[in-house]
């Protein structure tokens, strides 16, 4: 790093320019990552927060994938699953998006119907009552004791708890029997639900259970793909993030390609003086890593500062995973791009140092 | 410790055939002496330096640097040999633009795994030897051509080489400064006991050499001592070579 450090100080302008590009790309990736995580949470937190490890859907027709919209399971199915060895708990959940009213306030909410003492809701549900998530309570201006109407069915607010959200709407936890009245479409009459939340001990034969119950079981994370909007939304954002990572690696690679070509004369001199190629590669890669770490650190700090001022209404999650994670990926991919470009150091002929062309 | 080249032949590809750059060249440079190699452009002087510097492997013959035969050693060992036994004074100073004069010398030790701080004193001593104590913190663009060339020389001596290869050190300097640089090289050669090969086309500076060889068409011939042992008469060049050197450029 003897020469690399001094090059960084000497060619301040060039490295500052490239460093600024890294800072800006990191900032963009950081903000996009936080937004992706925020949107994902708004789409799925009600499911990922369930005390369950699997969700069972009604088996879809051949050639179709499971979806929360199309799935409808009956009491026979959750009883069949509950009776399977290794399955500790099988609880039905009804899920539907409905209009809610409280006084003069209206809001679209996701009604999650669960059975009493199922342990799925953040508060105790009972017939005729509703547990509102914080955002649902805020949107409806409702507090415990108030009355809310879900698709014409009036319920008393028993508690405000949790911040569960599903498909970008706040969740209202109600009794499964009430949900069967509230859910749109008459097909849900009777003992029906949307999916079955499973808690298994790990030894359960879920494939056999599915065959017996006529269901298709997914892990909770795998089940998220069954939310219609989630896959398209998350896929688009992840694609953007991926492109940004690739672009940053290519930009860094291009910079170090030009930089290596520019200093190929110096490299030839160092080789002629007896420098080993590994020494020169370490020096150049170290220089790249210093610039990457500095640039991504500054970009991450800026993203965190901006994130601190983003209003609560924007789905924006600043967590270690969404801030440090992209910075680490940027650094690793950038170093890979730099490594690919500085490999041309190996091809520099020290004999050129003896010429008079420099 | 000396430099010995025995029966060296070097050819380069040239279209369908090969051109001979060095034709059975033998040269022995004892420690503490300067051997000048003169010759017209394209005669093979630079090829001779490249072979001696282990930058090119000859087709046949042996190169022995400070007692170490270089024929059978690999690329890493050759680099180590250049670091520890060889000093190269380039035709152009070839200084690294981001380093100060002092750091140009310290980097030589760093290449060999030493901390720059450990060799600071030696680097300062060498800069003093070439008269650049006051310029130690200046970068190449802040130095004159002559000062850069003196840093080039000091850098070549930094790792106490047993062999010093000097390629047209005065080509970028005026006559007076060129003479001063050559005097410095000769003095340092004797003081430090290096075996120095001086490639030059400037016959006015041959007086500093203990031995002078002519390179013509890849063959090295003995041209005699630079000074007459009894009277110190300067080396008298051949008329053909003189005219060739007058018309040649800095490149050899």
């Amino acid at each position: 790093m003897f020469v690399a450090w001094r090059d960084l100080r000497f060619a301040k302008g060039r490295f500052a320019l490239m460093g600024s590009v890294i800072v800006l790309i990191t900032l963009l990736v950081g903000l996009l990552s936080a937004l992706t995580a925020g949107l994902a949470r708004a789409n799925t937190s009600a499911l990922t927060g369930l005390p369950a490890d699997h969700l069972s859907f009604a088996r879809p027709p051949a050639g179709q994938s499971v979806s929360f919209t199309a799935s409808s399971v009956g009491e026979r199915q959750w009883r069949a699953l509950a009776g399977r060895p290794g399955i500790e708990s099988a609880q039905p959940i009804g899920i539907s998006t409905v209009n809610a009213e409280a006084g003069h306030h209206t809001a679209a909410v996701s009604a999650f119907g669960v059975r009493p003492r199922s342990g799925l809701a953040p508060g105790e549900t009972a017939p005729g009552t509703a547990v509102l998530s914080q955002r649902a309570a805020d949107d409806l201006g409702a507090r415990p004791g108030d009355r809310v109407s879900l698709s014409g069915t009036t319920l008393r607010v028993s508690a405000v708890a949790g911040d569960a959200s599903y498909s970008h709407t706040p969740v209202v936890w109600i009794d499964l029997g009430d949900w069967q009245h509230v859910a749109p479409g008459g097909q849900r009459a009777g003992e029906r639900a949307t999916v079955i939340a499973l808690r298994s001990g790990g030894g359960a034969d879920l494939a056999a259970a599915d065959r017996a119950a006529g269901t298709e079981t997914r892990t909770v994370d795998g089940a998220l793909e069954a939310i219609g909007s989630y896959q398209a939304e998350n896929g688009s954002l992840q694609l953007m993030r991926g492109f940004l990572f690739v672009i940053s690696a290519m930009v860094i690679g291009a910079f170090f390609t030009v930089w290596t070509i520019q200093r190929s004369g110096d490299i030839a001199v160092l080789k002629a003086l007896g420098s080993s190629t590994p020494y020169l590669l370490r020096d150049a890669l170290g220089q790249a890593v210093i610039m990457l770490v500095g640039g991504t650190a500054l970009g991450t700090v800026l993203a965190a500062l901006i994130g601190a001022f983003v209003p609560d209404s924007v789905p924006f999650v600043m967590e270690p995973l969404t801030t440090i994670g992209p910075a680490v990926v940027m650094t690793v991919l950038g170093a890979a791009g730099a490594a690919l470009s500085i490999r041309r150091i190996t091809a520099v002929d020290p004999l050129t140092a003896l010429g008079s062309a420099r | 410790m000396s430099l010995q080249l025995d029966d060296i032949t070097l050819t380069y590809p040239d279209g369908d055939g090969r051109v001979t750059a060095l034709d059975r060249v033998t040269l022995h440079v004892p420690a503490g002496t300067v051997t000048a190699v003169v010759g017209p452009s394209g005669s093979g002087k630079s090829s001779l330096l490249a072979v001696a510097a282990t930058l090119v492997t000859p087709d046949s013959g042996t190169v022995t640097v400070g007692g170490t035969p270089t024929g059978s050693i690999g690329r890493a060992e050759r680099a180590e040999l250049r670091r520890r036994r060889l000093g190269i004074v380039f035709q152009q100073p070839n200084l690294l633009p981001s380093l100060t004069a002092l750091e140009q010398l310290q980097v030589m030790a760093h290449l060999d795994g030493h901390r720059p701080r450990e060799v600071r004193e030696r680097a300062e001593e060498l800069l003093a030897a070439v008269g650049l104590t006051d310029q130690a913190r200046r970068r190449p663009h802040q130095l004159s051509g002559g000062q850069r060339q003196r840093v080039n020389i000091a850098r070549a001596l930094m790792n106490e080489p047993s062999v010093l290869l000097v390629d047209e050190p005065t080509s970028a300097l005026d006559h007076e400064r060129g003479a001063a640089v050559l005097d410095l090289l000769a003095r340092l050669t004797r003081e430090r006991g290096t075996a120095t090969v001086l490639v030059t086309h400037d016959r006015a500076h041959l007086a500093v050499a203990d031995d002078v060889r002519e390179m013509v068409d890849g063959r090295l011939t003995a041209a005699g001592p630079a000074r007459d042992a009894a009277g110190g008469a300067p080396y008298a060049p051949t008329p053909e070579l003189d005219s060739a050197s007058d018309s040649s450029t800095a490149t050899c």
Side-chain angles (χ1 to χ4, degrees), chain A residues 19 50 64 69 77 113 120 145 149 188 258 282:
Chain A
L50 287 172
Q64 290 186 23
T69 312
Q77 288 171 300
L120 297 177
S149 170
R188 294 196 185 273
V258 174
R282 275 198 307 273

Side-chain angles (χ1 to χ4, degrees), chain A residues 1-3 6-11 265-277 279-280 283 346 349-358, chain B residues 12 46 49-50 53 55-56 75 79-80 82-83 86 88 90-92 94-99 103 106-108 110-111 116 139 141 155 167 250-251:
Chain A
M1 294 295 294
F2 186 83
V3 179
R6 284 151 185 84
D7 278 349
L8 282 168
R9 289 207 300 261
F10 183 68
D266 295 342
I267 293 164
V269 169
L270 285 166
K271 280 188 170 183
L273 294 174
S275 171
S276 66
T277 300
Y279 173 95
L280 293 169
D283 203 55
T346 61
D349 187 354
L351 193 57
T352 57
L354 282 182
S356 60
R358 294 187 74 231
Chain B
Y12 292 117
S46 286
L49 273 191
L55 296 174
V56 171
R75 187 182 295 182
E80 186 181 326
R82 287 199 295 276
R83 265 197 319 270
L86 282 167
I88 302 175
F90 299 102
Q91 183 175 353
Q92 301 295 323
N94 283 354
L95 302 181
L96 303 176
S98 62
L99 306 189
E103 289 166 346
Q106 288 177 302
V107 75
M108 293 300 297
H110 194 258
L111 295 180
R139 292 202 168 89
H141 68 276
R155 178 176 64 181
D167 185 12
T251 309

Side-chain angles (χ1 to χ4, degrees), chain A residues 3-250:
Chain A
V3 179
W5 270 114
R6 284 151 185 84
D7 278 349
L8 282 168
R9 289 207 300 261
F10 183 68
K12 288 188 198 80
R14 271 170 286 191
F15 283 102
L17 185 66
M18 190 58 219
S20 303
V21 171
I22 294 172
V23 168
L24 289 174
I25 293 178
T26 307
L27 175 61
L28 190 56
V29 169
L31 294 178
L32 191 62
S33 297
L35 187 65
T36 303
L39 288 169
R41 178 179 283 185
N43 230 336
T44 64
S45 66
L47 299 176
T48 55
L50 287 172
D53 46 55
H54 288 81
L55 293 176
S56 296
F57 296 79
R59 185 184 299 153
Q64 290 186 23
S65 298
V66 294
S67 86
F68 284 94
T69 312
S71 179
S72 177
V73 292
E75 184 175 2
R76 184 192 63 78
Q77 288 171 300
W78 69 73
R79 289 201 185 284
L81 289 176
R84 301 293 299 185
I87 293 179
E88 297 168 3
S89 162
Q91 292 290 343
I93 307 176
I95 301 172
S96 58
T97 302
V98 297
N99 286 321
E101 286 180 43
H104 299 295
H105 297 278
T106 61
V109 299
S110 287
F112 270 52
V114 296
R115 294 198 300 182
R117 293 177 300 283
S118 66
L120 297 177
E124 196 52 57
T125 57
T129 67
V131 175
L132 305 188
S133 63
Q134 186 61 55
R135 209 182 111 210
D138 293 342
D139 289 352
L140 293 169
R143 290 185 297 182
D146 290 350
R147 296 198 170 272
V148 296
S149 170
L150 301 183
S151 294
T153 301
T154 301
L155 304 167
R156 183 178 57 81
V157 177
S158 62
V160 174
D163 60 353
S165 178
Y166 174 82
S167 197
H168 299 293
T169 52
V171 169
V172 174
W173 302 90
I174 60 177
D175 179 72
L176 184 61
D178 291 337
W179 176 83
Q180 285 156 356
H181 291 290
V182 165
Q187 76 277 17
R188 294 196 185 273
E191 285 292 306
R192 308 291 299 177
T194 306
V195 292
I196 303 159
L198 300 183
R199 206 169 58 237
S200 61
D205 184 352
L206 294 174
D210 277 342
R211 280 193 298 276
T215 53
E216 185 169 321
T217 299
R218 299 272 182 92
T219 61
V220 172
D221 285 343
L224 302 182
E225 301 295 324
I227 303 173
S229 60
Y230 176 78
Q231 197 171 6
E233 179 184 282
N234 197 53
S236 304
L237 290 166
Q238 296 291 8
L239 187 68
M240 278 188 250
R241 266 191 355 142
F243 270 121
L244 279 173
F245 285 136
V246 172
I247 288 167
S248 71
M250 290 177 75

Side-chain angles (χ1 to χ4, degrees), chain B residues 55-80:
Chain B
L55 296 174
V56 171
T57 304
D59 298 359
S60 63
T62 57
V63 178
T64 307
V65 177
T68 305
T70 63
S72 57
I73 61 175
R75 187 182 295 182
E77 287 80 10
R78 284 204 301 273
E80 186 181 326

Side-chain angles (χ1 to χ4, degrees), chain A residues 353-356, chain B residues 45-46 49 88-92 149 152 164-171 185 197-200 250-252:
Chain A
L354 282 182
S356 60
Chain B
K45 301 192 301 293
S46 286
L49 273 191
I88 302 175
V89 178
F90 299 102
Q91 183 175 353
Q92 301 295 323
Q149 195 59 288
N152 187 15
L164 194 57
L165 303 172
V166 186
D167 185 12
E168 300 276 12
T170 61
S171 64
L185 272 172
V197 177
L198 168 65
V199 164
T200 182
T251 309
C252 57

